[in-house]
Amino acid sequence: MSDSEQQESDKVSEAQWPENGGSWSDTENEAGMDSDLLQAMAEEDEEINIFNEETFGMDVDPNGTANSLDNGGISFGEPLPSTPPPNTDPKPLSPSTSPPSPPRQRPQYLPQYPARAAQWQRIRGPRWRGGLGRGQMFDDPAVMRIVEGRPSLMSVDSAIVDCGHAVYRNTSLDNRTQPPYWKNRRAPASILQDSAIVCVIGHRARGQRVNSDLLDLSYPVSSYGEKRGGPYNRMLFGQRGPSQMHSPMMPRSPIFSRQPLTPRQHFNQTGGFMFPPNRPCPSTPRPLTPKIMQLRFGADSPRPSPFYSPSTNRVQPFSYGDPVTQLHPQHKRLLSQKQHLFQRKSQGSDPYCNLMTTKEKEWIIRLQMIQLQSENPYLDDYYYQEYYRRLEAKMAEEELGMRSKKEPPKLTTPYITKTDAYAPVFHIEGSLGQVAVSTCYSPRRAISAVNAVQTHCPLEELKDTRQQRLEILSKIEKLFIVLLEVEETERMKTPVSSEAEDAMLLEKIQRKVEHIYSELQHHDSLDSGTEFLPVLSVSKGKKLLARLLPFLKNDSAIKILHIIASNLPTVMSKDTEETLPVLYLPLRNVIGGLTFSQLIKVLRDLTSSESLSTLECLSLACQNKFGLTLLYALLSHGEKLLSSGVPLEPSIGDFETWTDIIFQVAGQLSQCSLVEPLLLPSNLLTLFCRYLDKRTVHQLKSNLESATGCLALPS
Amino acid sequence: LAVTLACRSLFQLFYSFFKSLVGKDVVVELKNDLSICGTLHSVDQYLNIKLTDISVTDPEKYPHMLSVKNCFIRGSVVRYVQLPADEVDTQLLQDAARKEAMQQKQ
């Protein structure tokens, strides 16, 4: 994005910023003012007037010398650039190509300009030559505002700079009778010669809420160095040290009354010298020599950049996040809900607030944001977009459901004060010698990848196991990427209309899915019944399988179900992190598609194992959340099939197996202590009622209920 | 330019992640052992953090923080950020990390 554009914009801006002050003419181009610009200007001036009157109790003669100010003064536009929102607009390449933001330039002063020039030094700039780019030039905050101190002088020298004179408060109109050292200030010419003077005058406080005090944090512009403004900015902020405060114009009395600055008082911060005007200036002010000025506005100063003031674009509420950050609508909604709860107390008087106006801050933030603009926000900003998309989808789903108005989750986030629970040093169990303390430089290693190994294993076996595990993990990772592609393609499929494309995408999906499937199968153990086991022993693998299952063809899915059922004890025992539940839902969907025979087969697998008796299998299953829930799911499906009246087409012996299992399960369930299942199907007891006597059922029921803590059935 | 791009992609993931936490309460532990609790106001691509309504978890030790309401923390001085667990979708984060790794390879 940056380089070529920058160059281009540089060139353009160069053209518009005549380096030699001499080329600036005095009174030209008055006629070029647009009326709407005037209009805007008028509005602003009125506002300024009102403010001044309120603040200072004007006893100004309205006609005053203001009129003479009008001679062709072009003032600078809105100080803020408008970086277009990242995805919608093309970036502004140069000032001349894109139109400036809504006309906010004030090319002329209107007669209402307060004669109290002290407070309100409007910029009466040099009359820039060249009508074309003029407007755009002044959109840029990086344009110096030349504040005028003496109306009479305007006609003499267009390039008079008022360096911070603005805040001089006087009850009398002393500044009128200022010593003519104004005339001595020829330095401005040199400043103006440097086109890269930044004026950070904000002057728009309209619509600013008190909340904006939140944003009144001075912060180092960390990225600014990249924007060639590094040294400058540091100067900028460094200036706030009292020792550096100058009132160049006021060798005599630059005492600024200490007042809390309202946002509107930003107006006082004219002169572009980042004066915190409400601070008393303790040091003896020195007149700003040209040299010092040069320092401040040296070659490194940011050049006027082709960014435009957003001015009227402040439509989005931005009490959270930077004003520039584009928030996902769902995020915005959540934040505004939260906002309603909190009353923002009005801040007490803070002498250091509002040093920068919101516009200035926004401008800087936008500069930073430029780096973040991307053509592909979904990918570049994946986490954020996806997170809120899912949240939105979830909320929409819930709203469609029974509840009419869902309580927004957690309007008030509880304070996190869990410092006592936070143990900064993490001791790894079973480690010998020095504990590897996890610091920010060496975060903890993935503990889960390290197998909880039996200590009595010989070393080689250990290594082998670990090696295998690592291999499996690495394979899973690679397959995960493929899975992500599959999911992405699937998501792309829905909005796509054409059938041919659909088919193509489907085929692509299938290909990838099959690839994953075959990889997971672990070829050397095909048909042994242990295919997917290595994968299942790792939690990552389980997650992968869980997400893969919906994409699999029925046969493949059933195969996986079989494998899990037949190896349930092993699988359960290896599930140290309890990741198995993620498999539950996809498996339940698979179960839902089983025929009766298939179901019986699965149940048989579950209950028959090489090493364990049926009873043992069952009791093990009952002790495990996943196992129990899986069992329930299978039984429930069977019941559903039986009660649905659909012809079952059972194979021989199916029904016997079925009833056998029912009895055994019932026996187990009523005797063992059960864990709480993930889900308790409602038709279970109906099932048992068919086959068992009332008393047993009753006992079962109470056992089930005690485990879950809820009713087992609508009986 | 190359460095910027590389850094950018590295930061993009975390920037995206922290963006989703704007508005939530977090505790930022700095490398100087100061822990600041507050509401995440904004974050930038350098993971500089702005917090509002802050409170120091150990006020007696850092009395100078009592009057501070909002703060800006430079990203490089952060050691940890403690987050509300339910605001994080770890699965999504893993996916995002994988995508990031994929992109980096390309």
Side-chain angles (χ1 to χ4, degrees), chain A residues 2 214-215 217 219-220 222-223 226 319-322 325 331 335 338 344-345 368-369 371-374 379-384 386-388 390 410 413-416 419 422 438-441 477 480-481 484-485 488 540 543 547, chain B residues 1 4 8 12 15-17 19-20 22-27 29 31 37 39-46 48 50 52-53 55 57 69-72 74 79-80 82 84 86-89 91-96 98-99 102-103:
Chain A
S2 23
L214 272 179
L215 302 172
L217 310 169
Y219 56 97
S222 51
S223 70
E226 292 194 86
S319 34
Y320 263 110
D322 305 315
T325 315
H331 197 180
L335 285 179
K338 195 177 168 187
R344 295 269 168 208
K345 304 176 284 224
Q368 287 178 289
M369 289 306 213
Q371 294 179 306
L372 294 170
Q373 286 170 2
S374 80
L379 209 61
D380 285 340
D381 202 12
Y382 177 72
Y383 182 86
Y384 180 76
E386 189 59 22
Y387 183 80
Y388 279 97
R390 290 190 190 182
K410 280 211 200 75
T413 321
Y415 245 67
I416 304 176
T419 40
Y422 169 62
S438 59
T439 64
C440 61
Y441 296 104
E477 261 311 311
F480 233 114
I481 294 175
L484 285 178
E485 288 171 12
E488 199 54 44
K540 220 194 286 188
K543 290 182 191 163
R547 285 165 74 167
Chain B
L1 184 62
T4 321
R8 174 176 160 169
Q12 274 303 93
Y15 173 60
S16 181
F17 174 66
K19 259 207 302 183
S20 78
V22 164
K24 314 290 191 295
D25 288 347
V26 298
V27 180
E29 176 174 327
K31 289 180 183 169
C37 174
T39 313
L40 184 64
H41 178 269
S42 65
V43 66
D44 67 8
Q45 79 267 36
Y46 299 97
N48 299 325
K50 274 202 214 174
T52 58
D53 275 341
S55 69
T57 49
K69 292 207 80 179
N70 310 319
C71 71
F72 173 90
R74 184 183 159 93
R79 182 186 288 145
Y80 294 122
Q82 298 171 34
D86 14 343
E87 298 292 345
V88 176
D89 184 346
Q91 195 53 48
L92 184 57
L93 195 53
Q94 287 181 10
D95 288 348
R98 289 186 178 108
K99 286 203 152 151
M102 233 178 8
Q103 278 183 325

Side-chain angles (χ1 to χ4, degrees), chain A residues 160-417:
Chain A
I160 289 186
V161 176
D162 173 35
C163 306
H165 173 49
V167 203
Y168 180 54
R169 289 215 337 128
N170 246 344
T171 47
S172 66
L173 296 173
D174 274 351
N175 40 335
R176 295 297 175 82
T177 59
Q178 275 296 301
Y181 86 108
W182 283 97
K183 289 202 180 116
N184 301 334
R185 302 233 33 92
R186 290 294 163 177
S190 62
I191 294 176
L192 297 174
Q193 279 176 8
D194 187 337
S195 61
I197 292 172
V198 172
C199 161
V200 205
I201 296 174
H203 60 95
R204 184 67 51 212
R206 245 173 247 165
Q208 203 164 7
R209 296 182 283 208
V210 183
N211 292 1
S212 64
D213 285 338
L214 272 179
L215 302 172
D216 292 341
L217 310 169
S218 61
Y219 56 97
V221 184
S222 51
S223 70
Y224 207 64
E226 292 194 86
K227 291 290 168 188
R228 300 162 298 172
Y232 171 73
N233 251 352
R234 273 173 237 131
M235 300 261 178
L236 218 62
F237 294 106
Q239 274 181 29
R240 256 180 245 117
S243 56
Q244 295 180 35
M245 278 173 43
H246 309 292
S247 171
M249 303 300 134
M250 300 298 126
R252 291 190 298 200
S253 56
I255 302 302
F256 310 113
S257 66
R258 211 187 162 94
Q259 268 191 359
L261 264 192
T262 68
R264 300 193 76 184
Q265 276 173 323
H266 292 144
F267 297 128
N268 291 343
Q269 282 181 329
T270 49
F273 290 60
M274 282 46 70
F275 244 116
N278 53 345
R279 284 235 236 121
C281 181
S283 59
T284 314
R286 309 180 261 125
L288 264 180
T289 63
K291 191 139 187 246
I292 294 175
M293 288 198 166
Q294 210 65 32
L295 263 179
R296 293 184 189 191
F297 311 100
D300 287 343
S301 308
R303 307 209 153 251
S305 47
F307 305 120
Y308 297 101
S309 144
S311 56
T312 54
N313 287 350
R314 255 187 288 122
V315 285
Q316 297 160 346
F318 60 84
S319 34
Y320 263 110
D322 305 315
V324 181
T325 315
Q326 302 278 323
L327 291 180
H328 193 276
Q330 179 64 16
H331 197 180
K332 240 186 273 173
R333 244 174 277 141
L334 285 175
L335 285 179
S336 58
Q337 277 169 357
K338 195 177 168 187
Q339 204 65 23
H340 290 322
L341 287 195
F342 293 109
Q343 276 300 324
R344 295 269 168 208
K345 304 176 284 224
S346 62
Q347 311 271 346
S349 75
D350 178 3
Y352 296 97
C353 75
N354 296 334
L355 289 170
M356 282 173 82
T357 65
T358 318
K359 283 264 165 86
E360 295 159 9
K361 293 171 204 158
E362 284 179 20
W363 175 59
I364 289 180
I365 292 169
R366 271 171 237 266
L367 280 176
Q368 287 178 289
M369 289 306 213
I370 291 157
Q371 294 179 306
L372 294 170
Q373 286 170 2
S374 80
E375 295 84 22
N376 191 355
Y378 185 71
L379 209 61
D380 285 340
D381 202 12
Y382 177 72
Y383 182 86
Y384 180 76
Q385 302 286 344
E386 189 59 22
Y387 183 80
Y388 279 97
R389 192 190 65 82
R390 290 190 190 182
L391 201 61
E392 206 167 19
K394 203 164 30 139
M395 305 216 101
E397 211 181 279
E398 281 165 351
E399 261 165 44
L400 280 175
M402 284 306 124
R403 316 161 225 201
S404 51
K405 173 89 170 141
K406 176 163 166 55
E407 183 72 36
K410 280 211 200 75
L411 287 175
T412 47
T413 321
Y415 245 67
I416 304 176
T417 48

Side-chain angles (χ1 to χ4, degrees), chain A residues 487-499:
Chain A
E487 288 180 347
E488 199 54 44
T489 322
E490 175 72 29
R491 208 196 323 271
M492 280 201 311
K493 205 161 66 116
T494 15
V496 163
S497 47
S498 116
E499 229 186 79

Side-chain angles (χ1 to χ4, degrees), chain A residues 666-679:
Chain A
Q668 278 300 305
L669 289 180
S670 49
Q671 284 159 26
C672 319
S673 57
L674 303 172
V675 297
E676 187 177 335
L678 297 165
L679 183 70

